């Protein structure tokens, strides 16, 4: 059976035995999602590409530590997110990073933006611009929570902060975004 007809669990098992065509198939199935996850954090196309490829190499070399093949996708995503945050923090220690135009996937349900105001008239571009104005820790926390779908416990582990601090950060980030959106709405 060709690797393209196998499910992910079967491909992971083949990868564990060193099958390069299975590794290529896994790469082809996951690279876009992993690149986008990295890009939302590091805000640089080339760096996101490097991080994504390094993360795949790391995943393939540590595949023996993966206990269940069915969790390969979330395991790989966690590697990419951790590597992205590490590179982002490392880059920010040496110089200030300008805000680039980043495309964020905004959930249509408006999760976390409930209030007395009707935000249905606000365009996605306005939300993206407002997100770029957030402090970095707010932007990263909201990205992990609302876009990547991590819960508070996972985010606190990724960002190496307490669970209470994580909840506070996300709550403040939502409030800050809500305030910025209200300014746009009032214009």
């Amino acid at each position: 059976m060709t690797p393209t007809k196998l499910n992910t669990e079967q491909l992971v098992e083949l990868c564990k035995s060193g099958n390069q065509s299975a590794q290529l198939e896994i790469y082809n199935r996951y690279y876009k999602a992993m690149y986008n996850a990295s890009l939302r954090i590091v805000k640089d196309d080339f760096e996101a590409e490097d991080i994504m490829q390094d993360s795949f190499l790391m995943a393939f070399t540590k595949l023996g530590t993966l206990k269940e093949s069915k969790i390969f996708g979330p395991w790989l995503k966690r590697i990419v997110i951790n590597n992205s945050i590490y590179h982002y923090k490392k880059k920010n220690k040496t110089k200030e990073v300008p805000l680039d135009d980043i495309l964020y996937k905004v959930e249509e349900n408006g999760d976390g933006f409930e209030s007395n105001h009707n935000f249905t008239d606000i365009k996605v571009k306005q939300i993206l611009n407002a997100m770029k104005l957030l402090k970095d820790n707010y932007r990263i926390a909201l990205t992990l929570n609302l876009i990547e779908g991590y819960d508070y416990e996972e985010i606190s582990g990724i960002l190496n902060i307490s669970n209470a601090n994580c909840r506070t950060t996300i709550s403040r980030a939502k409030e800050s975004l809500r305030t910025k959106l209200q300014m746009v709405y009032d214009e």
Side-chain angles (χ1 to χ4, degrees), residues 11-134:
L11 285 171
V12 169
E13 292 306 316
L14 286 173
C15 288
K16 285 181 179 180
S17 65
N19 185 316
Q20 290 182 344
S21 60
Q23 288 176 340
L24 180 60
E25 181 60 26
I26 287 279
Y27 179 85
N28 288 334
R29 288 185 186 184
Y30 285 94
Y31 82 92
K32 274 187 181 172
M34 298 305 120
Y35 168 79
N36 288 331
S38 181
L39 181 62
R40 284 189 289 269
I41 293 172
V42 298
K43 302 184 289 185
D44 180 88
D45 292 326
F46 298 111
E47 190 172 3
E49 180 79 23
D50 286 345
I51 291 168
M52 184 261 314
Q53 290 181 2
D54 288 344
S55 297
F56 269 102
L57 286 173
M58 184 184 294
F60 288 138
T61 58
K62 296 184 181 215
L63 207 50
T65 64
L66 182 64
K67 291 183 169 92
E68 294 182 49
S69 297
K70 64 183 176 185
I71 63 164
F72 176 79
W75 180 72
L76 176 63
K77 189 173 192 178
R78 185 69 174 255
I79 292 171
V80 171
I81 295 289
N82 287 339
N83 285 344
S84 298
I85 290 172
Y86 170 78
H87 280 76
Y88 182 77
K89 286 180 179 179
K90 183 178 172 184
K91 187 175 179 180
N92 276 344
K93 282 183 181 178
T94 58
K95 65 178 182 170
E96 190 160 319
V97 180
L99 290 174
D100 294 334
D101 291 330
I102 303 294
L103 294 177
Y104 286 92
K105 177 184 123 193
V106 178
E107 295 184 40
E108 290 181 16
N109 65 4
D111 213 22
F113 302 112
E114 306 82 14
S115 72
N116 297 336
H117 307 288
N118 180 4
F119 288 122
T120 56
D121 295 334
I122 295 178
K123 293 185 171 47
V124 172
K125 187 167 179 92
Q126 293 168 318
I127 295 171
L128 297 176
N129 288 335
M131 282 193 72
K132 288 191 287 186
L133 297 174
L134 294 174

